[in-house]
């Protein structure tokens, strides 16, 4: 993961029911240039309220939370129009199959293991705040496996307004390629790829690339190995 050290300040909310972890994350984030923790939540309900009040750039959300689990809290945060600029990163001890699909469908921009290196946590916050997706290879494999277990793709009607070039770009986004890698493969400029991605985000009403990955599989544009 890479981040732009000159990026504007990033405001973060930490949602975890363990005070020790919240304190550790806060110390690390507040010590980093350009990152400020603007609130802490002990429950999923508190996280929803804090996100509405503070409108942070990033919410670090524990999956297993009291009162309201992290996935439902994420769904409520991401469904609120006023929170359009809020990105959620799910925090978990294990990248479990059961959570991946549900969290991304709820609007999460990615996953981060709680035992990640401090540098990875800081980079993750900056990457997600910039609108990128944060999907580790192991998580991506589990996401694809989840789609492979499902009975089949949804109707492809959502692709009706998508151009052939945009379909090519979306397919490569779903395979985890960066804009630069997509540009190289399709012999396009990086700026052109960014424009195509922006159009895809608008057409699918997607918050970021994580939701574009979901859209690619749900419309059947990309079929998992072993799937239909």
């Amino acid at each position: 993961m890479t981040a732009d050290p000159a990026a504007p300040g990033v405001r973060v909310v930490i949602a975890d029911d363990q005070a020790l972890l919240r304190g550790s994350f806060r110390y690390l984030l507040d010590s980093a240039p350009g990152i400020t923790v603007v609130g802490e939540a002990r429950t999923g309900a508190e996280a929803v309220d804090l996100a509405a009040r503070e409108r942070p750039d990033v919410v670090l959300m524990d999956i297993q939370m009291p009162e309201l689990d992290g996935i439902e809290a994420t769904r409520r945060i991401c469904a609120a129009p006023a929170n359009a600029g809020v990105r959620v990163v799910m925090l978990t001890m294990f990248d479990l199959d059961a959570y991946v699909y549900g969290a991304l469908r709820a609007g999460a921009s990615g996953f981060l293991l709680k035992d990640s290196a401090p540098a990875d946590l800081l980079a993750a916050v900056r990457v997600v705040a910039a609108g990128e997706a944060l999907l580790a290879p192991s998580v991506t494999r589990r996401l694809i496996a989840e789609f492979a277990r499902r009975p089949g793709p949804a109707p492809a009607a959502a692709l009706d307004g998508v151009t052939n070039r945009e379909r090519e770009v979306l397919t490569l986004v779903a395979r985890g390629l960066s804009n630069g890698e997509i540009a190289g493969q399709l012999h396009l400029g990086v700026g052109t790829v960014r424009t195509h991605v922006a159009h895809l985000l608008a057409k699918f009403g997607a918050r970021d690339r994580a939701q574009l990955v979901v859209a690619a599989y749900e419309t059947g544009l990309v079929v998992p190995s072993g799937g239909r």
Side-chain angles (χ1 to χ4, degrees):
M1 290 178 291
T2 60
D4 178 5
V10 179
R11 301 170 72 251
V12 180
V13 162
I14 302 169
D16 195 297
D17 61 336
Q18 298 183 49
L20 182 59
L21 278 176
R22 289 200 313 274
S24 298
F25 287 143
R26 179 160 203 153
Y27 178 81
L28 174 64
L29 293 168
D30 276 339
S31 299
I35 299 178
T36 302
V37 175
V38 297
E40 298 179 22
R42 296 176 298 106
T43 70
E46 286 184 6
V48 174
D49 291 341
L50 256 180
R53 185 166 67 249
E54 296 291 343
R55 308 280 170 75
D57 299 296
V58 177
V59 177
L60 295 178
M61 177 79 72
D62 188 16
I63 285 183
Q64 298 185 355
M65 298 273 283
E67 292 185 17
L68 196 69
D69 67 52
I71 292 178
E72 180 57 29
T74 296
R75 181 176 293 109
R76 296 186 188 186
I77 289 170
C78 295
N83 292 337
V86 179
R87 301 288 183 261
V88 178
V89 175
M90 307 303 296
L91 292 169
T92 180
M93 290 300 296
F94 309 100
D95 49 348
L96 297 176
D97 297 11
Y99 299 128
V100 175
Y101 180 80
L104 291 177
R105 289 294 293 125
S109 295
F111 282 78
L112 190 67
L113 296 181
K114 288 185 177 180
D115 61 358
S116 296
D120 288 343
L121 173 62
L122 297 176
V125 167
R126 293 188 172 108
V127 165
V128 171
E132 296 293 330
L134 182 71
L135 294 175
S138 61
V139 171
T140 303
R141 286 195 297 271
R142 293 173 191 277
L143 175 63
I144 292 171
E146 176 67 23
F147 279 108
R149 285 195 293 269
R150 290 175 178 267
L159 290 172
D160 288 348
V162 179
T163 68
N164 288 336
R165 179 61 86 187
E166 288 169 348
R167 292 183 188 213
E168 291 177 330
V169 171
L170 180 57
T171 298
L172 296 178
V173 167
R175 292 177 181 167
L177 273 66
S178 67
N179 286 348
E181 291 167 336
I182 294 172
Q185 186 153 331
L186 297 181
H187 306 291
L188 300 171
V190 175
T192 300
V193 174
R194 287 198 194 100
T195 298
H196 285 311
V197 171
H199 289 166
L200 287 165
L201 290 169
K203 289 180 178 182
F204 285 100
R207 298 171 64 86
D208 53 33
R209 294 168 84 98
Q211 274 68 63
L212 287 183
V213 173
V214 173
Y217 284 101
E218 289 193 329
T219 58
L221 179 65
V222 177
V223 179
S225 175
R228 288 177 53 183

